[in-house]
Amino acid sequence: MYAYVARQPILNRKKQTIGYELLFRDGASNAFPDMEANQATCRLLVENFMATGNNPALESPRSFINFPQESLISLVPTAFPKKKIVIEVLETCTPNDELFSAIKHLHRMGYVIALDDFSLDPEWDRFLPYSHIVKLDIMQLGLERACAYVKQRKRQGCKRHYLAERVETNEEFQQALDVGFHFFQGYFFSKPEIIKNRVVKPEELLTVQLFQEVCREEVDFTRIEQLISQDVSLSYQLLKFVNTAAVRLENPISSFKQALVYLGEEQIKMFVTLIATAHAAINKPKELYKQSLVKGRFCELMIYRCQNGTPGQQAFIVGLFSLLDALLDKKLDDVLVQLSLSQDIEKAILIREGLLGSMLELYENIDTGNWENIDKLSRQLGFSAKTVESTYLEAVKWYQSILSK
């Protein structure tokens, strides 16, 4: 399945692109769908910031994203890197105390805040000291009125930046430029461009189970870890989410438990809520899921049998993620580079290096029925071929037990 987003450039006074506004689309049609605003924002975030490979929609220094009232009050933007997004407060928001408190909090955290389609209503005046950019729709307000407002603010010594929206002619651009607008957006420069990107989506039933878990009074981290481990796309999204939510990872990720610790209870709740709201579900053959899970469980069980101290969760990740290229239609190294996995795990997946890599090799030889290689590898690892075969059957049985739950 693919995600679609329209992006429209935002330019500075020299007509240089400084970022893009991302506009949600649910298909190739370049129009906003008939969808509730909060759901659209959640899907835009999930399907782009958690998408696979290099996402051209996010290549600019900043992504301007529309946030409706509910997502702002819930502080959804805090789950995403403050150096990559500009929070656009939608004109449909109600300027009440609850929203004001959320905007002040986001401002203190260092997020760049833009008031979208600013109406000049005095009710919004208290929000201005906490806003970095004010977007004025020159078509809706009228160019003369918008220019007069900016000119007046400039005379008052205001250092806030003003963005002229819906600039459609060179004359409008020049007039807005002359009065001191800092940024510009509109058809005169470029119409919104549709970007199509492969999206990773978890199975809906598992998402519902996770949602139920995080809604409990006391969150059971062990149970959440168990659920996440059952789905390759959800596992991928968790690690991608960690990398977008964390400013810097002190240590490479080597287990889902470690990822959950990095996030903490509130961020885990936000992660699951975003996923559940987006109703994500990948369109790939069930056999690929089966192979990923069975391979992960096989590698985990084999590592336990080695008794060399390597955590089983590392082996599980190696097996689980070794088929990401087939699941996501991307090169494996392009996908893995986004996940900040430990070098041992990366090398095992990419070049079958080390003990973890040997576990993968064993499984692949079982898959192709190459018993000569199985005998050889088993002896090197100190196992009998019979042990390897029984471990494989145990992994298949584990997968079947998941299906029956």
Side-chain angles (χ1 to χ4, degrees):
M1 186 175 287
Y2 290 91
Y4 297 86
V5 64
R7 66 174 193 176
Q8 189 173 32
I10 291 171
L11 300 93
N12 62 17
R13 293 174 61 84
K14 295 180 180 179
K15 295 187 181 179
Q16 297 167 327
T17 301
I18 55 96
Y20 289 91
E21 180 172 4
L22 301 188
L23 307 163
F24 177 74
R25 302 290 184 259
D26 65 351
S29 173
N30 201 347
F32 188 84
D34 183 16
M35 182 179 291
E36 191 269 326
N38 188 62
Q39 186 187 36
T41 296
C42 287
R43 279 192 57 183
L44 185 147
L45 292 167
V46 167
E47 294 174 0
N48 288 279
F49 281 87
M50 298 180 204
T52 66
N54 297 318
N55 188 346
L58 307 178
E59 286 173 356
S60 70
R62 294 274 186 179
S63 296
F64 288 63
I65 299 172
N66 296 321
F67 286 92
Q69 186 104 3
E70 183 183 336
S71 61
L72 288 168
I73 291 170
S74 301
L75 299 178
V76 167
T78 61
F80 298 89
K82 59 188 174 186
K83 291 186 177 180
K84 291 295 292 180
I85 67 170
V86 173
I87 299 169
E88 291 204 22
V89 183
L90 279 177
E91 70 279 7
T92 53
C93 290
T94 304
N96 55 23
D97 291 343
E98 202 173 15
L99 181 66
F100 184 57
S101 177
I103 295 302
K104 283 200 298 183
H105 181 73
L106 292 166
H107 181 270
R108 283 196 301 269
M109 290 184 69
Y111 283 89
V112 176
I113 296 166
L115 298 180
D116 190 28
D117 287 348
F118 190 63
S119 64
L120 313 189
D121 190 321
E123 278 190 307
W124 286 97
D125 284 352
R126 62 174 173 161
F127 288 81
L128 289 172
Y130 304 98
S131 306
H132 305 81
I133 300 170
V134 175
K135 298 182 73 174
L136 299 173
D137 185 333
I138 64 171
M139 190 174 290
Q140 183 180 349
L141 284 174
L143 181 59
E144 299 300 330
R145 188 181 177 202
C147 287
Y149 177 80
V150 172
K151 193 182 292 186
Q152 179 190 12
R153 291 289 177 168
K154 286 279 187 179
R155 281 200 300 266
Q156 294 170 350
C158 177
K159 295 180 180 179
R160 203 167 293 109
H161 289 74
Y162 294 92
L163 188 156
E165 287 186 282
R166 297 174 76 183
V167 178
E168 298 203 346
T169 66
N170 184 55
E171 289 74 24
E172 289 174 344
F173 167 66
Q174 289 298 331
Q175 194 170 337
L177 186 71
D178 291 343
V179 298
F181 273 94
H182 301 85
F183 305 123
F184 308 87
Q185 179 181 2
Y187 281 12
F188 172 62
F189 309 102
S190 174
K191 292 183 179 181
E193 168 197 14
I194 287 283
I195 302 290
K196 177 182 175 183
N197 196 51
R198 188 75 174 84
V199 65
V200 187
K201 295 198 170 185
E203 293 182 325
E204 288 184 1
L205 178 59
L206 198 57
T207 306
V208 171
Q209 290 174 318
L210 272 168
F211 193 68
Q212 289 170 339
E213 287 298 324
V214 299
C215 288
R216 299 185 193 279
E217 241 181 277
E218 290 187 15
V219 176
D220 185 343
F221 281 66
T222 302
R223 174 61 179 154
I224 289 175
E225 183 184 5
Q226 289 170 349
L227 288 171
I228 287 172
S229 297
Q230 291 177 23
D231 187 275
V232 61
S233 60
L234 191 56
S235 304
Y236 174 89
Q237 283 187 316
L238 170 67
L239 294 187
K240 188 67 189 294
F241 186 81
V242 171
N243 285 309
T244 57
V247 177
R248 175 182 289 183
L249 296 175
E250 294 179 4
N251 300 301
I253 297 294
S254 59
S255 70
F256 297 134
K257 189 171 185 178
Q258 186 184 357
L260 294 173
V261 170
Y262 265 121
L263 288 177
E265 186 171 319
E266 290 306 312
Q267 289 285 56
I268 290 166
K269 286 184 177 182
M270 189 169 292
F271 165 72
V272 174
T273 302
L274 279 168
I275 297 295
T277 306
H279 296 296
I282 198 165
N283 183 25
K284 276 286 181 178
K286 290 285 183 186
E287 184 60 25
L288 276 177
Y289 281 106
K290 176 185 174 183
Q291 288 290 335
S292 297
L293 290 168
V294 172
K295 191 183 283 193
R297 182 60 171 167
F298 172 83
C299 291
E300 181 181 26
L301 291 172
M302 287 301 298
I303 282 293
Y304 285 142
R305 283 166 171 72
C306 286
Q307 295 183 342
N308 74 328
T310 302
Q313 185 71 1
Q314 290 188 19
F316 186 84
I317 290 175
V318 166
L320 189 71
F321 285 174
S322 62
L323 289 176
L324 277 177
D325 52 346
L327 280 165
L328 310 180
D329 299 326
K330 296 279 186 180
K331 288 182 180 179
L332 199 51
D333 51 357
D334 286 345
V335 175
L336 295 181
V337 76
Q338 301 178 62
L339 300 182
S340 294
L341 296 168
S342 66
Q343 278 199 346
D344 287 346
I345 293 176
E346 275 199 15
K347 287 180 178 179
I349 294 173
L350 293 174
I351 57 177
R352 306 300 185 260
E353 183 175 295
L355 185 60
L356 292 170
S358 296
M359 300 299 116
L360 274 184
E361 275 194 81
L362 266 178
Y363 184 93
E364 287 158 356
N365 280 289
I366 294 171
D367 210 28
T368 58
N370 192 333
W371 290 100
E372 186 179 336
N373 276 353
I374 291 170
D375 283 333
K376 182 181 174 183
L377 277 169
S378 298
R379 282 196 301 271
Q380 289 173 356
L381 294 167
F383 297 109
S384 67
K386 189 174 181 180
T387 299
V388 174
E389 184 181 5
S390 65
T391 303
Y392 171 78
L393 293 174
E394 190 177 341
V396 172
K397 188 176 178 182
W398 171 81
Y399 171 77
Q400 290 168 341
S401 73
I402 288 176
L403 292 184
S404 62
K405 286 180 182 178

